[in-house]
């Protein structure tokens, strides 16, 4: 449970207990004030009846004494005849009642109920409204005592009266009944204090339940018998819960007997009246308590609601934090966030996987510098303290820059790239990316790509070699055929075969060159050469083609061109062949100009510039930038029309760049193109001797060459026939063997002037056979040996010479080259 939720429950419990306590206290308060109110009412009732009884007793005693004394009043007025002087008696009675304020009339009655005398004249005349039998029963009492009538209405005054009667013995066995008439209202006045007591009803009753008076007055009930007469009990004067004497509502009732037993005085205070104040107070207390409870509950509910929202927000926060933690945990990179005061805030598991030595150090609030200090010990454990210090300073400096980046190599050789960024609140977030895997994958991919490329180059090289061998045979045979007597038609066919074969050979040579370039194995053969002669040679070879197309092909050169330069004339020829060839190919009318210029360079060097301009179709601006790319041709329709592989310019550029020069082009579509080559070359002084002469085929050898005996070692049957035919044509004798073993044997068996040795042969190859011959004991070991090879590579030539060969002739053999090499070595 999250803290706001817990607090929510505590608040709910607190509110519950608090409200319960407040209500309980309110109820207890109300109960105790009820008790107090009832006690007070009880006391009031008891107090009242005690004092009311005292005053009633006094009054009744006064009346009783007055009644009892009437015999003394009678005696002076007794006439001798036994009758009384009524007049005198009446005045005597009047005098008597004037001394008692309560008594309105005092009447003396005979036993038969007639009036003997009365203080008031009307009572003597009309008699008293006493109930029948009242007088008789009073007179019949064995001992005289006070008898009290129910309230009765006086005929004359129409007032309610209570009559108090007492028999009076006159002596001689005669009795009169003295009756005092007291207005009920006056009796009631004795209880008048009751009116001051809130809700109290005071009653004066006879023990048979007849109501004499009540305060406040209940006239309808006066003289009536009230339910539950009080005479049966022995009243204690203590107030008790009982039905009120009038109305019967629950009440506190206190009852007390008066001195004159038949009378009882009762005080009833209805519970409701006794509790009226309390009820009001209770309403107030309960209302206040409820209001208070309501307020507390409201406050509690508000707090509960508020905390609920807080809890919800907190849960939401927890959820997003969990999400964030999961996201951080599943990050492939390490991550560390520091606050604006450079203290650690958060990091992810990957961070510790990269820097495991920080596991025991890292914690929220740890200064970043502490991590760096621990890190330097793990990364540079053996470094001098000042080096370590320098490292820490550098690391901290990067940390404080706006956009820090650095690379780190861990002790286990993993390479980490770290990028640091400042957060908007001034913190720093760093992402650590382990590039080891990526770099290794890249290296692997590079190695694989290079291997694949090498395999491709190897394949191209071997394929072109394989194609070249039979092609050489075709061209060689064709060359031989052209030296024989042919009909014009046969000659045309044979020449067609030669031109197609040569196109094919050029293409294959291009592919071979390209694969050499790609394998980085293109090498130059640096010799002395005459630039003018070299260019001239190419121009004159192509002049035939220009003439055939009706184009003017002209060459011009600036004066002062050094005649002896050092460079690779055969590769330069290849480039010029390509450039002038293209110019002729893509020009249908007009001219092609070849211009040679030069400018001196520091040292004994010169920059040779050859430009080839034509008035051909030109090259559009879109094609120009990719002109020197492999297999790149202008628009495909011209390419189809003119043929070509799209390799010529690419190879030319590679060659020129290998020579340290550059090749450039300018062209306007429809107007013409101009290609220019500039080459820095070394100038040879006339006295200097070049270590090696240009190996270009010289002019056709003199037919006066003496005949030689030549041993040919060649495994390919067609080539065997070709070489033999060529040697025959040159006037030499030849024997042919098919491998190295036979060559070694045959060279000893007959007397030869020269061996033409193929390199690639089954069994013993040319190099091994040469070595074997060179170790022979006799003079045969000195026989000149010429290597014949299709892969005319410079480094291979060196290897053949090192094996003991004297010279080298490249395949495809042609008559001129073959004659030249034979002449050179013999
Ligand atoms: P290709 O063997 O196809 O001639 P190159 O590499 O020698 O290959 O030339 C590439 C392309 O450059 C050609 O196909 C042609 O479209 C364009 N090109 C080369 N030289 C010229 C030129 N002198 N005039 C017009 N277009 C040329």
């Amino acid at each position: 449970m999250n803290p706001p939720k817990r607090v929510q429950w505590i608040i709910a419990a607190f509110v519950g207990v608090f409200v319960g306590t407040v209500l309980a206290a309110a109820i207890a308060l109300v109960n105790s004030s009820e008790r107090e109110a009832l006690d007070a009412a009880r006391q009031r009732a008891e107090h009242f009846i005690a004092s009311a009884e005292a005053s009633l007793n006094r009054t009744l005693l006064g009346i009783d004494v007055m009644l009892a004394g009437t015999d003394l009043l009678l005696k002076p007025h007794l006439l001798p005849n036994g009758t009384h002087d009524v007049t005198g008696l009446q005045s005597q009675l009047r005098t008597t009642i004037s001394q008692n304020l309560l008594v309105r009339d005092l009447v003396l009655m005979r036993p038969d109920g007639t009036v003997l005398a009365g203080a008031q004249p009307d009572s003597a005349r009309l008699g008293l409204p006493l109930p029948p039998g009242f007088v008789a029963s009073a007179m019949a009492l064995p001992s005289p005592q006070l008898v009290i009538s129910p309230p009765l209405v006086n005929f004359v005054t129409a007032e309610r009266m209570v009559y108090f009667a007492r028999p009076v013995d006159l002596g001689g066995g005669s009795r009169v009944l003295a009756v005092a008439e007291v207005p009920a209202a006056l009796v009631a006045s004795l209880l008048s204090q009751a009116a001051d007591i809130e809700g109290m009803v005071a009653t004066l009753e006879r023990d048979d339940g007849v109501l004499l008076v009540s305060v406040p007055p209940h006239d309808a009930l006066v003289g009536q018998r009230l339910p539950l007469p009080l005479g049966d009990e022995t009243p204690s004067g203590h107030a008790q819960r009982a039905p009120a004497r009038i109305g019967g509502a629950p009440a506190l009732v206190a009852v007390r007997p008066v001195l004159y037993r038949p009378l009882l005085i009762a005080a009833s205070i209805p519970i409701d009246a006794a509790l009226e104040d309390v009820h009001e107070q209770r309403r107030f207390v309960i209302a206040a308590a409820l209001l208070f409870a309501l307020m507390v509950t409201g406050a509690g509910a508000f707090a509960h609601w508020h905390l609920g929202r807080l809890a919800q927000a907190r849960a939401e926060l927890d959820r997003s934090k969990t999400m964030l933690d999961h996201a951080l945990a599943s990050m492939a990179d390490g991550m560390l966030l520091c606050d604006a005061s450079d203290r650690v805030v958060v990091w992810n598991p990957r961070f510790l996987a990269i820097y495991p030595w920080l596991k025991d150090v890292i914690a929220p609030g740890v200064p970043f510098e502490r991590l760096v200090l621990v890190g330097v010990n793990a990364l540079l454990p053996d470094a001098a303290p000042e080096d370590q210090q320098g490292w820490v300073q550098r690391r901290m400096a990067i940390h404080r820059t706006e956009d820090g980046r650095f690379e780190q190599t861990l002790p286990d050789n993993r390479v980490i790239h770290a990028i640091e960024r400042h957060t908007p609140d001034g913190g720093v977030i760093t992402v650590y990316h382990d590039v080891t895997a990526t770099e290794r994958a890249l290296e692997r991919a590079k190695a694989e790509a290079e291997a694949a490329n090498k395999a491709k180059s190897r394949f191209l090289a071997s394929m072109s070699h394989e194609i070249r061998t039979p092609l050489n045979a075709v061209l060689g045979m064709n060359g031989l055929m052209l030296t024989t007597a042919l009909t014009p038609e046969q000659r045309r066919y044979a020449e067609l075969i030669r031109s197609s074969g040569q196109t094919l050979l050029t293409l294959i040579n291009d592919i071979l060159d390209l694969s050499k370039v790609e394998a980085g194995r293109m090498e130059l053969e640096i010799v002395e050469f005459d630039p003018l002669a070299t260019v001239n040679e190419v121009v004159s070879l192509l002049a035939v083609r220009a003439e055939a197309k009706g184009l003017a092909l002209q060459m011009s050169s600036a004066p002062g061109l050094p005649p002896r330069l050092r460079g690779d004339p055969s590769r330069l020829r290849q480039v010029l062949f390509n450039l002038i060839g293209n110019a002729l190919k893509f020009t249908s009318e007009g001219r092609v100009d070849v211009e040679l210029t030069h400018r001196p360079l520091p040292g004994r060097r010169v920059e040779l510039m050859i430009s080839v301009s034509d008035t051909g179709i030109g090259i559009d601006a879109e094609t120009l930038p990719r002109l020197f790319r492999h297999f790149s041709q202008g628009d495909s329709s011209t390419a189809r029309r003119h043929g070509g592989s799209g390799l010529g310019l690419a190879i030319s550029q590679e060659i020129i760049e290998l020579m340290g020069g550059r090749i450039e082009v300018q062209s306007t579509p429809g107007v013409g193109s101009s290609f220019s080559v500039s080459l820095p070359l070394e100038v040879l002084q006339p006295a200097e001797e070049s270590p090696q002469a240009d190996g270009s085929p010289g002019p056709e050898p003199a037919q006066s060459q003496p005949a030689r005996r030549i041993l040919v070692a060649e495994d390919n049957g067609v080539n065997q026939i070709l070489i033999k035919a060529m040697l025959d044509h040159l006037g030499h004798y030849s024997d042919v063997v098919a491998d190295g073993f036979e060559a070694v044997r045959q060279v000893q068996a007959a007397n030869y002037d020269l061996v033409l040795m193929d390199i690639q042969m089954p069994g013993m190859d040319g190099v091994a056979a040469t070595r074997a011959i060179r170790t022979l004991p006799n003079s045969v070991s000195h026989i000149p040996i010429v290597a014949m090879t299709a892969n005319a590579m410079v480094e291979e030539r060196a290897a053949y010479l090192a094996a003991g060969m004297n010279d080298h002739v490249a395949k495809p053999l042609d008559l001129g080259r073959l004659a030249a090499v034979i002449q050179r070595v013999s």
Side-chain angles (χ1 to χ4, degrees):
M1 203 190 300
N2 69 31
K5 208 146 197 117
R6 204 163 40 240
V7 176
Q8 232 182 348
W9 283 109
I10 291 173
I11 287 180
F14 175 77
V15 167
V17 170
F18 189 77
V19 167
T21 311
V22 166
L23 290 180
I27 289 167
L29 183 71
V30 168
N31 281 347
S32 94
S33 25
E34 255 185 30
R35 250 194 326 277
E36 276 172 21
L38 288 176
D39 283 348
R42 196 172 277 127
Q43 272 178 18
R44 278 200 300 277
E46 287 171 2
H47 190 260
F48 166 74
I49 55 166
S51 72
E53 185 217 323
S55 86
L56 264 174
N57 281 349
R58 254 193 326 273
T59 306
L60 290 179
L61 197 63
I63 292 171
D64 198 21
V65 168
M66 185 182 74
L67 291 175
T70 43
D71 60 334
L72 298 175
L73 297 180
L74 281 168
K75 264 182 199 143
H77 301 286
L78 186 65
L79 297 177
N81 60 359
T83 59
H84 288 89
D85 169 16
V86 175
T87 317
L89 200 53
Q90 278 175 336
S91 77
Q92 183 65 48
L93 287 173
R94 268 197 294 275
T95 311
T96 305
I97 63 165
S98 65
Q99 289 156 11
N100 193 317
L101 294 174
L102 281 181
V103 179
R104 193 189 82 92
D105 197 2
L106 181 61
V107 180
L108 296 174
M109 298 186 81
R110 297 186 193 91
D112 59 358
T114 55
V115 174
L116 176 65
Q120 304 294 352
D122 45 354
S123 24
R125 207 162 23 91
L126 296 171
L128 294 175
L130 294 170
F134 179 83
V135 178
S137 62
M139 295 289 268
L141 288 170
S143 59
Q145 64 179 55
L146 192 69
V147 180
I148 300 161
S149 79
L152 298 163
V153 177
N154 183 298
F155 309 127
V156 179
T157 63
E159 250 183 306
R160 233 182 254 282
M161 301 293 180
V162 179
Y163 295 93
F164 300 86
R166 187 180 177 95
V168 178
D169 284 326
L170 299 177
S174 70
R175 273 185 170 183
V176 288
L177 190 67
V179 180
E181 186 191 56
V182 178
L186 290 182
V187 179
S189 71
L190 296 173
L191 305 178
S192 62
Q193 300 154 271
D196 301 338
I197 298 172
E198 185 70 33
M200 187 162 90
V201 177
T203 50
L204 185 66
E205 304 168 32
R206 283 203 321 209
D207 56 4
D208 59 358
V210 170
L211 177 68
L212 297 186
V213 289
S214 74
V215 175
H218 288 87
D219 289 346
L221 293 175
V222 171
Q224 303 288 317
R225 206 180 266 265
L226 297 178
L228 305 169
L230 299 170
D232 304 344
E233 298 157 27
T234 318
S236 61
H238 293 302
Q240 313 226 321
R241 274 177 183 272
R245 293 307 300 151
I246 291 172
L252 288 171
V253 181
V255 182
R256 235 184 142 97
V258 181
L259 189 60
Y260 295 90
R261 173 59 193 166
L263 284 188
L264 292 149
I265 176 163
S268 306
I269 301 181
I271 302 281
D272 280 349
L275 294 179
E276 197 172 283
D277 285 352
V278 175
H279 280 165
E280 202 157 310
Q281 194 187 1
R282 180 169 69 181
R283 272 195 297 278
F284 176 75
V285 167
I286 286 179
L290 282 178
L291 191 69
F292 190 62
L294 210 68
M295 278 164 60
V296 170
T297 311
F302 176 74
H304 196 269
W305 170 79
H306 193 71
L307 285 167
R309 283 187 40 171
L310 215 66
Q312 210 177 349
R314 183 118 181 190
E316 198 68 41
L317 208 70
D318 284 350
R319 209 168 31 249
S320 33
K321 187 176 176 307
T322 313
M323 253 172 73
L324 197 69
D325 284 349
H326 287 168
L328 288 180
S330 49
M331 261 175 80
D333 292 339
M335 191 282 307
L336 174 72
L337 175 66
C338 292
D339 62 13
S341 50
D342 251 1
R343 288 176 182 278
V344 171
V345 178
V346 71
W347 65 95
N348 70 351
R350 183 75 188 119
F351 174 75
L352 288 183
I354 294 175
Y355 302 111
W357 49 83
L358 296 179
K359 255 184 198 121
D360 299 332
V361 188
I362 200 159
V366 166
F368 175 73
E369 194 166 4
R370 174 131 174 67
L371 304 187
V372 178
L373 289 172
V374 172
V376 72
N377 285 324
L379 290 168
L380 307 171
D382 304 323
E386 57 272 17
D387 290 346
Q388 288 195 340
Q389 217 174 341
W391 189 90
V392 170
Q393 276 167 4
R394 278 195 302 282
R395 180 67 190 92
M396 290 308 291
I398 295 172
H399 191 65
R400 280 171 201 130
T401 51
E402 199 40 57
D403 184 11
R405 273 162 199 272
F406 62 94
E407 189 178 294
Q408 226 173 39
T409 307
L410 303 186
D412 58 2
N413 285 331
R414 277 181 301 152
V415 179
I416 305 298
H417 275 185
I419 300 178
E420 302 204 310
R421 287 278 155 81
H422 282 231
T423 60
D425 55 357
V428 178
I429 183 157
T430 316
V431 173
Y432 299 87
H433 181 56
D434 186 344
V435 293
T436 324
T438 325
E439 273 189 354
R440 286 184 188 150
L442 268 176
E443 269 169 24
R444 210 168 31 246
K446 191 170 164 239
E448 276 167 11
E450 277 171 359
N453 200 29
K454 276 203 180 113
K456 186 197 78 182
S457 298
R458 261 200 312 279
F459 171 76
L460 279 177
S462 68
M463 275 310 289
S464 45
H465 175 75
E466 289 305 314
I467 296 168
R468 245 170 32 148
T469 306
L471 189 59
N472 286 338
V474 170
L475 285 173
M477 289 298 189
N478 183 259
L480 281 176
M481 192 194 246
L482 283 169
T483 62
T484 60
L486 299 171
T487 66
E489 198 178 18
Q490 283 171 332
R491 181 161 298 277
R492 199 158 51 84
Y493 293 162
E495 269 168 0
L496 259 176
I497 292 174
R498 186 176 60 180
S499 72
S500 306
Q502 254 152 6
T503 310
L504 190 56
L505 191 63
T506 314
L507 178 61
I508 289 170
N509 282 339
D510 278 355
I511 292 176
L512 196 59
D513 279 347
L514 182 73
S515 58
K516 276 189 204 158
V517 167
E518 288 196 336
R521 284 169 58 196
M522 163 86 78
E523 285 193 25
L524 300 173
E525 193 182 359
I526 305 298
V527 293
E528 181 199 330
F529 76 105
D530 178 350
L532 195 59
T534 306
V535 179
N536 214 352
E537 196 182 315
V538 179
V539 171
S540 35
L541 274 172
L542 289 171
V544 193
R545 213 187 284 176
E547 208 174 321
K549 277 190 90 175
L551 299 172
L553 173 60
Q554 280 198 347
M555 185 190 131
S556 62
S557 72
L561 189 67
R564 299 173 71 208
L565 298 176
R566 266 172 61 73
D568 187 335
S570 44
R571 287 297 182 191
L572 181 58
R573 262 197 298 273
Q574 187 182 347
V575 172
L576 291 176
F577 251 108
N578 185 41
L579 295 183
I580 302 170
N582 276 349
L584 294 172
K585 191 156 69 169
F586 296 107
T587 305
S588 47
E589 56 184 14
R591 50 187 303 109
V592 173
D593 288 306
V594 181
E595 211 180 310
L596 237 82
T597 52
H598 67 280
R599 66 182 181 95
L601 289 179
R604 285 165 25 189
R605 289 161 70 76
V606 70
E607 186 177 44
L608 181 68
M609 289 167 286
I610 308 164
S611 77
V612 179
S613 322
D614 62 51
T615 55
I617 57 169
I619 304 158
D620 59 47
E622 216 176 284
T623 315
L624 271 180
R626 50 185 173 83
L627 205 58
F628 294 100
R629 279 193 219 151
H630 301 160
F631 309 108
S632 164
Q633 292 183 312
D635 84 273
S636 51
S637 65
T638 36
R640 257 201 309 282
R641 198 154 4 105
H642 300 287
S645 61
L647 285 174
L649 287 179
I651 292 169
S652 298
Q653 191 188 37
E654 297 282 358
I655 290 171
I656 297 298
E657 283 181 355
L658 198 63
M659 289 174 168
R662 55 180 199 282
I663 182 165
E664 280 161 2
V665 58
Q666 282 178 333
S667 185
T668 315
V671 176
S673 315
S674 173
F675 285 81
S676 52
V677 168
S678 9
L679 284 176
L681 292 166
E682 191 186 332
V683 181
L684 281 178
Q685 297 307 312
E688 277 181 290
E689 265 306 310
S690 170
Q692 202 175 350
D694 180 359
S696 63
E700 188 74 5
Q703 284 298 316
S704 58
Q705 229 180 4
R708 316 266 181 210
R709 281 198 66 144
I710 298 173
L711 176 66
V712 178
E714 165 69 63
D715 61 324
N716 184 296
V718 178
N719 280 348
Q720 286 175 353
I721 297 166
L722 173 66
I723 296 167
K724 200 164 169 37
M726 282 179 159
L727 292 174
D728 286 352
H729 183 80
L730 291 172
H732 301 300
Y733 305 101
S734 57
D735 293 322
V736 177
V737 292
D739 66 36
F741 295 115
E742 281 185 44
V744 176
R745 199 176 334 115
Q746 188 59 32
V747 84
Q748 297 171 82
N751 197 13
Y752 294 102
D753 296 316
L754 166 71
V755 182
L756 288 176
M757 183 80 81
D758 186 27
I759 297 297
Q760 284 164 341
M761 287 183 294
M764 184 185 273
D765 69 9
V767 174
T770 305
R771 284 206 191 97
I773 291 168
R774 293 291 179 236
T775 53
L776 288 175
N778 42 34
S779 63
V780 175
S781 66
H782 300 298
I783 188 168
I785 303 175
V786 173
M788 296 187 295
T789 173
N791 34 358
M793 283 193 175
V794 181
E795 76 271 23
E796 283 160 9
R797 179 190 158 105
Y800 309 147
L801 297 181
M805 292 177 168
N806 302 75
D807 210 331
H808 157 264
V809 61
K811 287 179 181 174
L813 295 178
D814 75 30
L815 281 173
R817 265 208 297 264
L818 193 57
V821 79
I822 292 169
Q823 197 170 21
R824 271 207 306 274
V825 298
S826 50

